């Protein structure tokens, strides 16, 4: 009986700790950058939203979702971008002296080969944490209706056609999305169209490759957390998973890898 009570209390304390975990603020030091990193706990255990400010990087002003993993040595942890290999945050239990005080610090690694040392500064309020999460959802191209979904992807299609001189048709299997109860999911096509536009700007060879696409077929993925793309001749088929995280980054990699 006592053992059962102990296990019950242990389980309750675990969830209570998870529920009260605060959002955190980190500031840079030992650098000319005045960078700030906001870390907000995600809905799933060991996931975190990271919001970047002042890193002089394309992530500035953006929020991405990470998963927390322990170092192989068992000492410290790192945060890996969900769905991608990028590790942008490491806590290796390093310490430094600031104003005569020994303080722990972490490192932020970005793809411009920069390393920014940051120190914990305090917690954020609920309003800021909520704004960070909403910012992430906006980057996920989330909508709540078919009308919104159409408006959003058409805006990005127009941009792709205008800036890359593309000439293509979009064929969305709306009935399949509706039968799966995810009628607004095609709004996420915006991420793939945006990625194609970015790729066409790399150089003339990529521009020609993008312009060779004449038709994009859009269907739902059977696995909500997975997506895929296949190019056959001038026809590109995209399977959209409505729960794919960091869709801005993962869609770019998916599109880039097919060329």
């Amino acid at each position: 009986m006592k053992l059962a009570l102990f296990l019950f209390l242990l389980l309750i304390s675990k969830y209570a700790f998870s529920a009260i975990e605060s959002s955190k603020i980190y500031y840079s030091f030992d650098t000319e950058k005045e960078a700030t990193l906001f870390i907000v706990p995600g809905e799933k255990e060991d996931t975190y939203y990271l919001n970047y400010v002042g890193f002089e990087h394309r992530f500035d002003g953006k929020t991405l979702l990470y998963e927390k993993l322990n170092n192989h040595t068992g000492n410290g942890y790192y945060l890996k971008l969900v769905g991608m290999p990028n590790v942008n945050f490491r806590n290796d239990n390093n310490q430094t002296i600031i104003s005569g005080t020994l303080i722990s610090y972490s490192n932020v690694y970005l793809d411009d080969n920069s390393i920014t040392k940051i120190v914990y500064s305090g917690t954020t309020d609920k309003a800021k944490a909520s704004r960070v999460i909403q910012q992430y959802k906006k980057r996920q191209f989330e909508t709540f209706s078919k009308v919104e979904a159409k408006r959003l992807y058409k805006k990005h299609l127009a941009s792709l056609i205008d800036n890359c001189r593309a000439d293509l048709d979009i064929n969305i299997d709306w009935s399949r999305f509706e039968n799966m109860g995810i009628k607004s999911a095609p709004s996420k096509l915006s991420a793939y169209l945006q990625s194609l536009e970015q790729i066409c700007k790399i150089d003339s060879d990529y521009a020609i490759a993008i312009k060779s696409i004449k038709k994009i077929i859009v269907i739902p993925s059977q696995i909500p957390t997975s997506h895929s793309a296949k190019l056959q001749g001038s026809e590109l088929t995209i399977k959209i998973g409505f729960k794919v995280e960091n869709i801005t980054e993962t869609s770019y990699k998916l599109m880039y890898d097919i060329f």
Side-chain angles (χ1 to χ4, degrees):
M1 185 70 179
K2 289 183 178 180
L3 178 59
L5 179 61
F6 171 77
L7 292 174
F8 174 77
L9 292 173
L10 185 64
L11 182 64
I12 291 297
S13 66
K14 176 183 177 182
Y15 284 103
F17 177 81
S18 176
I20 63 174
E21 185 176 3
S22 300
S23 303
K24 298 177 176 63
I25 305 173
Y26 288 83
Y27 287 115
S28 62
F29 73 96
D30 194 30
T31 178
E32 294 181 358
K33 298 176 184 175
E34 294 184 0
T36 306
L37 185 70
F38 297 92
I39 300 184
V40 178
E43 289 79 6
K44 295 182 180 178
E45 186 177 2
D46 289 333
T47 62
Y48 297 86
Y49 298 101
L50 269 62
N51 176 253
Y52 296 82
V53 178
F55 283 87
E56 299 175 11
H57 184 269
R58 59 187 173 82
F59 283 175
D60 279 345
K62 298 174 182 176
T63 299
L64 297 91
L65 184 65
Y66 291 79
E67 57 183 328
K68 180 180 179 181
L69 299 167
N70 292 326
N71 290 340
H72 297 304
T73 60
N75 185 31
Y77 65 91
Y78 60 96
L79 300 180
K80 186 182 82 69
L81 196 62
V82 174
M84 298 286 285
N86 310 54
V87 173
N88 297 125
F89 179 100
R90 293 195 71 95
N91 182 322
D92 295 319
N93 293 321
N94 294 322
Q95 294 183 317
T96 188
I97 295 177
I98 300 178
S99 301
T101 303
L102 190 63
I103 297 176
S104 297
Y105 71 89
S106 303
N107 289 315
V108 174
Y109 300 86
L110 298 176
D111 57 10
D112 57 1
N113 296 319
S114 67
I115 302 175
T116 305
K117 296 179 181 179
I118 56 174
V119 293
Y120 172 73
S121 176
T123 60
T124 64
D125 57 36
K126 291 183 179 179
K128 173 60 180 178
S130 178
R131 288 195 297 271
V132 167
I133 294 172
Q134 290 305 314
Q135 189 180 56
Y136 175 76
K137 290 182 177 180
K138 185 176 181 180
R139 291 192 83 229
Q140 287 293 98
F141 299 98
E142 292 188 3
T143 57
F144 299 97
S145 72
K146 184 176 178 179
V147 173
E148 276 187 280
K150 285 183 176 180
R151 184 183 300 119
L152 189 58
Y153 90 74
K154 285 182 178 180
K155 181 181 77 171
H156 288 88
L157 175 61
S159 180
L160 171 62
I161 291 173
D162 184 49
N163 292 314
C164 298
R165 297 181 181 178
D167 179 21
L168 53 83
D169 293 320
I170 302 292
N171 186 336
I172 299 175
D173 194 335
W174 289 101
S175 62
R176 290 178 65 175
F177 284 101
E178 290 170 358
N179 289 339
M180 293 177 66
I182 51 171
K183 63 181 180 181
S184 65
S187 65
K188 294 181 182 293
L189 174 61
S190 302
Y192 305 87
L193 297 173
Q194 179 177 272
S195 295
L196 289 172
E197 182 176 336
Q198 292 172 346
I199 292 169
C200 91
K201 294 177 181 178
I202 295 175
D203 60 30
S204 59
D205 289 336
Y206 281 105
I208 291 171
I210 298 300
K211 285 191 285 187
S212 70
I213 300 172
K214 299 302 179 184
K215 185 176 183 180
I216 297 179
I217 298 173
V218 184
I219 58 177
S221 170
Q222 293 302 309
I223 303 173
T225 57
S226 177
H227 60 174
S228 63
K230 185 176 182 180
L231 181 63
Q232 287 186 311
S234 62
E235 188 172 282
L236 173 63
T237 300
I238 300 174
K239 293 184 179 181
I240 291 179
F242 73 100
K243 288 187 177 180
V244 172
E245 304 290 3
N246 293 312
I247 196 167
T248 299
E249 287 69 36
T250 57
S251 67
Y252 182 88
K253 184 178 186 304
L254 188 65
M255 295 294 97
Y256 184 85
D257 287 349
I258 67 176
F259 295 108

